[in-house]
Amino acid sequence: MSVMDKLKQMLKGHEDQAGKGIDKGGDLLDERTQGKYSRHVDTAQDKLKDQFGRDQGQDRPPQ
């Protein structure tokens, strides 16, 4: 079992809290870099949220 699988298992049922943490971390990084890498940070936040599961239907385009 990979580390990512273990993290997903631990966060199951707490996707909203994981999403808030990802947002908070990205905002802190944007603040520290004065927005220089905000486009990259936003992309990373989206990918992390996809990995750990978003709230159902929130910010996710239909598939």
Side-chain angles (χ1 to χ4, degrees):
M1 184 179 273
S2 72
V3 172
M4 191 61 97
D5 291 335
K6 289 181 182 180
L7 284 172
K8 286 180 186 179
Q9 188 68 21
M10 288 172 48
L11 293 173
K12 188 170 271 189
H14 302 285
E15 291 85 5
D16 56 334
Q17 290 176 334
K20 287 178 185 177
I22 292 168
D23 287 338
K24 203 172 203 179
D27 292 345
L28 179 64
L29 190 58
D30 271 341
E31 182 182 315
R32 294 256 174 119
T33 61
Q34 298 169 348
K36 186 175 181 180
Y37 303 105
S38 63
R39 183 179 56 160
H40 301 289
V41 171
D42 290 342
T43 301
Q45 285 175 312
D46 288 340
K47 289 186 180 198
L48 280 170
K49 286 179 182 179
D50 286 341
Q51 282 288 319
F52 293 119
R54 292 180 187 247
D55 294 338
Q56 297 298 321
Q58 181 182 356
D59 296 328
R60 179 176 272 180
Q63 294 181 358

